[in-house]
Amino acid sequence: MKFPSRAEVERIRKQYPVGTRIELVSMSDPYNPIPKGARGTIVSVDDAGTLHMKWDNGRTLGIVVGVDEFKVLDTVTTVCYGQEQIWDSRKEAADYFLEGIAATEGSECERYTSIYVQLLAGKEYCTDDL
């Protein structure tokens, strides 16, 4: 196995910073791979460019960039009525708050609308602060 240069490792660290959420497409580990579709959070990137993971299923096996296949999730955080929720899909979050807009009135509808507008604007942290 060829190890990446320092410049390549720095590129990997910038492209996949700590806290990035990913979904595994496939893993080349023949002995004990993480299952396809598993989701997790990057907790560190070592000097070999390996993405060290905390998988939602409790596992901690790392990902090798360029060998294992994965996709970065469009993670967004919403805070509504003081309750913080992390979404792995901006679309799912927007759909949820759009349904809330349609089903409510008054100040509750305004809260959902505030978050929905922030989601559409591309914010990563959306609140119902009016």
Side-chain angles (χ1 to χ4, degrees):
M1 181 174 146
K2 182 180 178 255
F3 288 97
S5 67
R6 285 186 185 185
E8 180 66 12
V9 170
E10 285 308 310
R11 184 194 65 76
I12 291 169
R13 284 184 174 134
K14 286 180 182 168
Q15 187 173 1
Y16 306 110
V18 169
T20 299
R21 296 274 300 159
I22 64 159
E23 182 176 319
L24 190 66
V25 174
S26 70
M27 179 173 272
S28 66
D29 185 326
Y31 302 106
N32 200 6
I34 301 293
K36 176 183 177 179
R39 293 179 174 188
T41 305
I42 298 172
V43 294
S44 70
V45 180
D46 67 19
D47 291 338
T50 301
L51 306 178
H52 291 273
M53 303 296 302
K54 179 169 185 353
W55 296 99
D56 294 352
N57 65 8
R59 304 263 319 268
T60 57
L61 190 60
I63 290 179
V64 179
V65 176
V67 176
D68 300 316
E69 289 184 60
F70 60 92
K71 63 182 179 180
V72 175
L73 298 171
D74 190 11
T75 304
V76 63
T77 302
T78 61
V79 180
C80 190
Y81 288 105
Q83 185 171 356
E84 184 175 280
Q85 183 167 354
I86 299 172
W87 302 80
D88 284 336
S89 167
R90 179 177 300 275
K91 182 181 179 334
E92 288 177 12
D95 289 349
Y96 174 84
F97 286 97
L98 185 58
E99 286 178 23
I101 292 167
T104 60
E105 296 178 346
S107 64
E108 187 172 11
C109 182
E110 288 176 19
R111 286 176 183 272
Y112 290 141
T113 301
S114 175
I115 292 171
Y116 182 72
V117 169
Q118 292 171 59
L119 288 165
L120 294 183
K123 289 190 171 187
E124 292 182 16
Y125 191 84
C126 308
T127 71
D128 61 356
D129 292 338
L130 300 174

